[in-house]
């Protein structure tokens, strides 16, 4: 009776031992090569390659990602300034404020913007002349003070200056005769259209031009003189005068004549009323009409 069959030898799996390890390694290498080739082929054709990712948006404080506008706002606010930038901004502000003030002050001084060139030139000349007269008066007063301070006989010097001042005040008050350079203004009124206010306008223009003594048809004109119309004639301080009206004026002729001949001034106004007006310069004008000295009823000197 046959005995039991021998047990089959255990089969060695493929790749067992060194030969099997080399086979497995070769298989793995082949597998890796095939995988690399598949990857390369996929990248070339663009079918299976993953899409490239763009720049990632940084997350905000709470983990959410910010949009482009939010990142711009976050970069601009709150503002961050250096000390140099603050100093430059302050200087620009001060410069702008100064320019605004200058422009406003320039625009405020536009009262004479519509005046004609001839009027502007005349106004400038009158201002220059008045400034010169004031400077001369200041210089004269300073000389008087110096004389009083340095004079050996101050009492005599003071008496002399008092007499000189009295003569000057007498000229202004019309109680003392005066002479000097000036003009003669003659107004003819054949049509009888000249009124008292026209003569008063001429007096005001002459005074503004620096007239120091004025006489009209034998009547001395002073600070409190008045002109009025009455009975078909003109009265000066209650005394009737008739045409032609002759003004004798002491002052600087170069200032007095242009003041009457300005466009729209006294001469043109009289000519529009069919009256004639002529101005003559002279180196010597005599104003000899006097006013009586009147004692004031209430006013008294305050000097002791």
């Amino acid at each position: 009776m046959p005995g039991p069959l021998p047990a089959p030898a255990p089969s060695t799996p493929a790749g067992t031992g060194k030969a099997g390890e080399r086979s497995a390694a070769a298989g793995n290498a082949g597998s890796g090569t095939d995988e690399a080739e598949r990857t390369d082929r996929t990248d070339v054709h663009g079918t299976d390659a993953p899409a490239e990712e763009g720049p990632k948006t940084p997350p905000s404080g709470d983990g959410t990602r910010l949009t482009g506008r939010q990142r711009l706002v976050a970069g601009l606010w709150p503002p961050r300034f250096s000390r140099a930038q603050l100093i430059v901004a302050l200087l620009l502000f001060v410069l702008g404020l100064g320019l605004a003030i200058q422009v406003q002050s320039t625009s405020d001084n536009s009262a004479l913007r519509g005046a004609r060139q001839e009027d502007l030139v005349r106004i400038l000349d009158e201002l220059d002349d008045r400034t010169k007269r004031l400077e001369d008066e200041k210089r004269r007063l300073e000389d008087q003070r110096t004389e009083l301070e340095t004079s050996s006989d101050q009492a005599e010097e003071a008496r002399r200056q008092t007499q000189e001042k009295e003569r000057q005040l007498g000229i202004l008050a019309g109680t003392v005769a005066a002479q000097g350079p000036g003009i003669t203004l003659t107004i003819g009124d054949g049509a009888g259209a000249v009124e008292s206010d026209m003569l008063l306008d001429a007096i005001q223009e002459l005074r503004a031009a620096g007239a120091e003594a004025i006489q009209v048809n034998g009547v001395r004109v002073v600070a409190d003189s008045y002109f009025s119309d009455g009975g078909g004639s003109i009265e000066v301080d209650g005394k009737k005068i008739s045409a032609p009206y002759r003004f004798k004026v002491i002052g600087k002729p170069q200032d007095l004549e242009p003041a009457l001949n300005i466009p729209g001034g006294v001469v043109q106004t009289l000519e529009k009323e069919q009256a004639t007006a002529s101005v003559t310069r002279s180196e010597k004008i005599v104003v000899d009409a006097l006013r009586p000295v009147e004692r004031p009823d209430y006013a008294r000197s305050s000097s002791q």
Side-chain angles (χ1 to χ4, degrees), residues 213-242:
I214 303 175
Q215 174 178 316
V216 181
N217 287 25
V219 180
R220 188 71 169 266
V221 178
V222 293
D224 59 349
S225 295
Y226 62 91
F227 288 72
S228 61
D229 296 312
S233 61
I234 297 177
E235 296 182 357
V236 181
D237 295 337
K239 298 179 180 180
K240 292 184 178 181
I241 59 174
S242 58

Side-chain angles (χ1 to χ4, degrees), residues 1 4 10 57 63 67 82 95 99 117 149 231 280 291 298:
M1 182 172 184
T57 303
T67 63
S82 63
L95 178 61
L99 291 176
Q117 183 176 4
E149 291 175 350
T280 304
R291 292 176 62 92
Y298 304 100

Side-chain angles (χ1 to χ4, degrees), residues 52-58 65-66 71:
E52 294 183 358
E53 296 182 0
K56 297 182 178 180
T57 303
R65 295 188 179 277
L66 301 177
R71 292 201 306 275

Side-chain angles (χ1 to χ4, degrees), residues 9-291:
S11 62
T12 303
T16 303
K18 292 182 180 181
E21 290 176 357
R22 286 194 299 270
S23 298
N28 291 335
S31 177
T33 302
D34 294 340
E35 183 67 23
E37 290 177 355
R38 286 195 300 270
T39 303
D40 292 341
R41 287 194 299 271
T42 302
D43 292 341
V44 170
H45 294 285
T47 56
D48 297 334
E52 294 183 358
E53 296 182 0
K56 297 182 178 180
T57 303
S60 62
D62 57 356
T64 60
R65 295 188 179 277
L66 301 177
T67 63
R69 180 177 300 177
Q70 291 175 340
R71 292 201 306 275
L72 178 61
V73 173
L76 295 177
W77 189 264
R80 300 176 181 86
F81 299 107
S82 63
R83 179 177 297 178
Q85 291 174 336
L86 290 176
I87 293 175
V88 172
L90 179 61
L91 292 177
L92 291 177
F93 172 76
V94 173
L95 178 61
L97 182 62
L99 291 176
I101 294 175
Q102 180 67 25
V103 170
Q104 184 174 2
S105 62
T106 304
S107 61
D108 292 340
N109 297 328
S110 58
L112 299 177
R113 184 175 299 173
R116 291 175 294 184
Q117 183 176 4
E118 296 82 359
D119 297 339
L120 293 176
V121 172
R122 178 186 60 81
I123 293 173
L124 290 175
D125 291 340
E126 290 182 357
L127 291 176
D128 292 339
D129 294 335
R130 292 179 186 177
T131 302
K132 185 177 181 301
R133 289 198 299 268
L134 291 175
E135 291 177 350
D136 293 340
E137 180 68 16
K138 177 183 176 182
R139 191 180 304 107
R140 186 181 62 80
L141 293 175
E142 290 177 349
D143 294 340
Q144 290 181 0
R145 183 185 64 181
T146 303
E147 291 176 359
L148 287 173
E149 291 175 350
T150 60
S151 176
S152 58
D153 188 357
Q154 294 185 358
E156 182 63 28
E157 182 64 23
R159 188 179 301 109
R160 185 187 65 81
Q161 292 188 10
T162 301
Q163 293 175 353
E164 179 65 23
K165 194 69 174 179
E166 181 181 359
R167 284 193 293 269
Q168 293 176 1
L169 293 176
I171 293 175
L172 296 177
T175 59
V176 177
Q179 67 178 18
I183 63 169
T184 299
L185 169 64
T186 304
I187 299 176
D189 185 22
V194 177
E195 298 179 352
S196 60
D197 58 342
M198 300 179 185
L199 301 184
L200 182 60
D201 289 341
I203 295 293
Q204 297 296 346
E205 288 289 345
L206 292 170
R207 283 176 173 170
E212 297 176 353
I214 303 175
Q215 174 178 316
V216 181
N217 287 25
V219 180
R220 188 71 169 266
V221 178
V222 293
D224 59 349
S225 295
Y226 62 91
F227 288 72
S228 61
D229 296 312
S233 61
I234 297 177
E235 296 182 357
V236 181
D237 295 337
K239 298 179 180 180
K240 292 184 178 181
I241 59 174
S242 58
Y245 307 105
R246 189 176 185 185
F247 292 67
K248 298 170 69 176
V249 187
I250 295 177
K252 187 177 180 180
Q254 293 83 355
D255 296 338
L256 299 176
E257 182 178 3
L260 298 174
N261 289 317
I262 61 173
V266 174
V267 173
Q268 285 192 359
T269 301
L270 291 171
E271 291 176 350
K272 289 180 180 179
E273 299 295 334
Q274 299 180 355
T276 60
S278 61
V279 180
T280 304
R281 298 186 184 186
S282 178
E283 292 298 326
K284 183 179 180 180
I285 298 292
V286 178
V287 176
D288 52 5
L290 303 179
R291 292 176 62 92

